[in-house]
Each structure stands twice: as C-alpha cells, then as structure tokens.
Amino acid sequence: MDRRSFLKTSALGGAAAATTALAAPAYAQGNRTLTMVTTWGRGLAGVFDAAQRVADNITAMTDGQLTVEIKAAGELVGAFEVFDAVSSGQADMYHGADYYFVGQHPGYAFFTAVPFGMTAQELSNWYYMDGGMELHDELGQIFGLKSFLAGNTGAQAGGWFSKEINSPEDFNGLKFRMPGLGGKALGKLGASVQNIPGSEVYQALSSGAIDGTEWIGPWADEKAGFQEITKIYYTAGFHEPGAGLSVATNREVFESLSPAHQKVIEIASAECHQWNLSQFLANNGAALARLQAGGVKIMEFPDSVWDAFGKASKEVLAENMSDELFKKIHDSAMASMKSSSAWIETSSGVYTKQRDRVLG
Ligand code: CA
C-alpha cells in the first residue's frame, strides 16, 4: 500500500469510527428474526417441543430483539437437508439430531448418540466439563456452524417390531428404521436399515415399507401412534442411551450477533437440554403403563442379541477411526464416560438399587 492510499484508508477508517461512536452501540440495530429449520415435523412430541423451547427462550431472553421463525421439516427444506441449508446460509439455524449428519462427518454421531455410548448424564458431563462442547465447535468450524446441545431424549427404546426378536438371526432381512451409527451396526446383523424422518415413520410402518422402527421412547412413540400398528415393543435399546439434540447457527450469522445475543443462544440451548430431558423422563413411565394397558407386549432383548449389538457396534466405531477428528472425539467421549460413570454407578447406581430393595 503506498502512502497516499494509506492516508485515504485511514481517513475513511477515522470517519467510520466517528460515525460508529455517535450511533447506537454496535450490534444493537433493531429487532431481528432468525429462520430456524428443523429435522422435525410440526408438533412432533418432545423433539419439535425442544425446537420451540429454544425459540421461545431466545425471544424471552432478548425482550423480543431476537425472534426465531421455525420452519418444520418440509416447510423450507426437508428434514435431512437442514444441515446443508444452514451451512450454506439458506437458513440461519437448525434444530435437529446431529447423528442425521454422519454423512457430512461421522464425528457428529457423538452429539446425538453412538451405540453403547453415553447416558444423558454422561453426555452432559462430557459436553460441559470434559471438552465435548469444544469438539462440537471444532466440527462446526469445518462446516461454518456454531453448535450447542439443545435437547435430550434420555435413554431410547429398542423399538417396535412386527415379530419377536429371540436371537441375532431374527434381524436378518428385517427392514428396520434406525439412523446414525446404530443403524450401521444393525446392518451388520443383516437388517435392511433405512433412515426415515420422524414425521414419515408412521406411514412407512403402517404401509409395510418397514417391518419395524425405533423412534424415541414410550411417550413420544405413543404420540406417534405406533401401538396402532404393532403390539411388540422392546424397552431398552443399544443405539441411543441418551440422545442429545442440537441447535446449529450459521457461523457468520452467529458472529454478527452481539456477544450478549450469542450468549443467549448458548444459554437458551443449554436450558432446553435439561428441560427436554425432564420432559421425556417425566412422561415416559405413565406412557409405558398406558401402552401396556392397551395391549402392547413389553419386551427386553435377550443377552445373545445384546452381545451381537455390542460386537457390531464396536466394528462400526473401529471402521471410522481412520478419520483423525472422529478418533479424537471418540477418545475424548469414551475417556469422560469411563471416568464419570465409575462414580455414578457406585453412588446413585448402588443407591437406587438399595432404595428399590428397602422400599419394595
Ligand atoms: Ca431414535
């Protein structure tokens, strides 16, 4: 830069600075509406509620300076297109389950759930205390996203089946809906695994396009109406022991917000992570009792099936280890899980066992 253009630039810079000093504080430029696309159909119990909760939190915490206009799956883009829509700037933010985006990067699985992975509490411990949030951000930098956990379903059910599962061989040829790395593990047992957006699962199951499905747990599953189609329900699943949901904001949009509003998005999401977990956990027990009273057969997979799930899950995780960032996230999550679960099991694990025994 020659001296003349330097002076010119400086003069312009000075003028801009003076204008800024006289104007309202930086960033506070009136109300702003952010468009949030979601992986959820409108009204889908628990998960759409979580998107709505984050949106309402943001509006309330900014006195309406920031509002969020929610577009359910299919209203602006399809359920599985939200990631690319926000990454490209077509929409400002999404609410969804990040394991839908293992095609973009397999490391995203850890921010929803990996098979034989973390419970909701263990996920929280890792995310907020042991580096999980920073790794979520490291992934987000690749795709121009700023992500936060913003919902949790707790432990998910094994799902709905057209027949009983008595051995691993019963999965052979079974057309089953299961996203993420859990779905890839089920594929190793010979299942024909399909990934179908939540709002389309009922239709797929009732038409016979699939023989079975996992969705979430008793309350959300009952709301979805799967008990109208089949009466065989497995309670505990291997695939989503504490599934996190996420909000991701386009990084340029996020950085254009004031530091206060950036913090609002972070806290609005964190609040929803806890609120949503409580919503699921508070509703699941009564829903399971209703399903059972309505004739649903409540089942548990036998050990031989759990063993097969375990073997397949380990293989799926191992297959992704050649990706450096996947391995980094995996090692961080598993180290945190081991460390925090050691105390959880010897404290609350022992306590609840004794409480059940003493109180009967
Ligand atoms: Ca699920």
Side-chain angles (χ1 to χ4, degrees):
M1 187 183 285
D2 66 27
R3 184 175 157 76
R4 180 183 297 243
S5 64
F6 173 77
L7 286 172
K8 196 175 165 192
T9 307
S10 298
L12 281 172
T19 306
T20 305
L22 290 172
Y27 304 112
Q29 293 164 355
N31 297 347
R32 186 164 173 187
T33 299
L34 302 176
T35 301
M36 175 195 275
V37 288
T38 74
T39 57
W40 321 118
R42 192 163 286 279
L44 217 47
V47 285
F48 188 85
D49 297 340
Q52 188 71 59
R53 177 83 177 184
V54 174
D56 292 346
N57 281 349
I58 290 171
T59 303
M61 291 166 79
T62 61
D63 281 334
Q65 287 182 349
L66 271 186
T67 52
V68 176
E69 187 184 357
I70 301 179
K71 300 283 189 187
E75 291 179 4
L76 184 64
V77 295
F80 298 150
E81 293 162 4
V82 302
F83 185 100
D84 292 342
V86 175
S87 181
S88 70
Q90 184 187 359
D92 297 314
M93 62 206 310
Y94 73 74
H95 187 276
D98 269 354
Y99 73 165
Y100 290 138
F101 312 119
V102 292
Q104 279 84 349
H105 195 289
Y108 273 109
F110 289 92
F111 300 94
T112 303
V114 298
F116 286 88
M118 292 177 281
T119 63
Q121 185 60 62
E122 289 162 349
L123 177 63
S124 284
N125 299 345
W126 173 58
Y127 198 79
Y128 297 110
M129 296 291 151
D130 283 343
M133 186 189 276
E134 290 75 14
L135 289 165
H136 209 184
D137 197 49
E138 194 171 333
L139 270 176
Q141 285 179 36
I142 300 171
F143 299 97
L145 300 173
K146 182 72 183 177
S147 301
F148 298 107
L149 283 186
N152 199 302
T153 69
Q156 296 207 3
W160 301 85
F161 292 78
S162 57
K163 62 174 187 182
E164 292 185 13
I165 300 295
N166 298 311
S167 76
E169 290 72 37
D170 287 329
F171 278 100
N172 202 13
L174 197 77
K175 290 176 289 182
F176 201 83
R177 184 264 182 195
M178 183 181 282
L181 299 188
K184 294 198 191 308
L186 213 56
K188 289 185 179 289
L189 273 61
S192 167
V193 178
Q194 307 189 24
N195 194 6
I196 301 166
S199 52
E200 297 169 27
V201 176
Y202 182 94
Q203 171 60 24
L205 190 63
S206 64
S207 72
I210 51 175
D211 303 314
T213 187
E214 69 82 47
W215 175 230
I216 297 178
W219 174 60
D221 291 11
E222 179 193 39
K223 293 265 189 191
F226 301 131
Q227 70 279 6
E228 298 159 9
I229 308 168
T230 177
K231 300 288 184 198
I232 300 172
Y233 191 42
Y234 281 80
T235 48
F238 74 104
H239 58 301
E240 294 186 64
L245 311 176
S246 296
V247 155
T249 306
N250 176 283
R251 218 169 170 95
E252 278 180 30
V253 170
F254 188 82
E255 285 166 0
S256 74
L257 299 172
S258 69
H261 285 182
Q262 291 179 6
K263 200 68 183 172
V264 162
I265 292 179
E266 179 183 337
I267 301 300
S269 301
E271 190 276 346
C272 186
H273 187 241
Q274 184 58 45
W275 176 86
N276 192 222
L277 176 62
S278 300
Q279 184 191 29
F280 280 107
L281 293 182
N283 282 298
N284 276 337
L288 186 66
R290 281 193 302 272
L291 289 171
Q292 197 160 17
V296 172
K297 191 172 181 186
I298 309 300
M299 308 280 293
E300 277 183 28
F301 297 118
D303 285 354
S304 64
V305 171
W306 279 98
D307 290 345
F309 287 156
K311 181 173 177 288
S313 299
K314 283 181 193 167
E315 286 173 19
V316 168
L317 291 173
E319 284 165 9
N320 285 285
M321 289 300 188
S322 55
D323 184 285
E324 206 173 303
L325 183 51
F326 180 93
K327 185 176 185 308
K328 184 179 173 184
I329 298 169
H330 169 274
D331 291 353
S332 167
M334 292 303 125
S336 174
M337 182 179 91
K338 259 194 183 159
S339 169
S340 71
S341 70
W343 173 243
I344 291 169
E345 278 160 25
T346 49
S347 56
S348 53
V350 172
Y351 167 74
T352 48
K353 194 172 71 183
Q354 291 296 345
R355 185 180 65 184
D356 291 350
R357 190 183 64 81
V358 171
L359 297 184

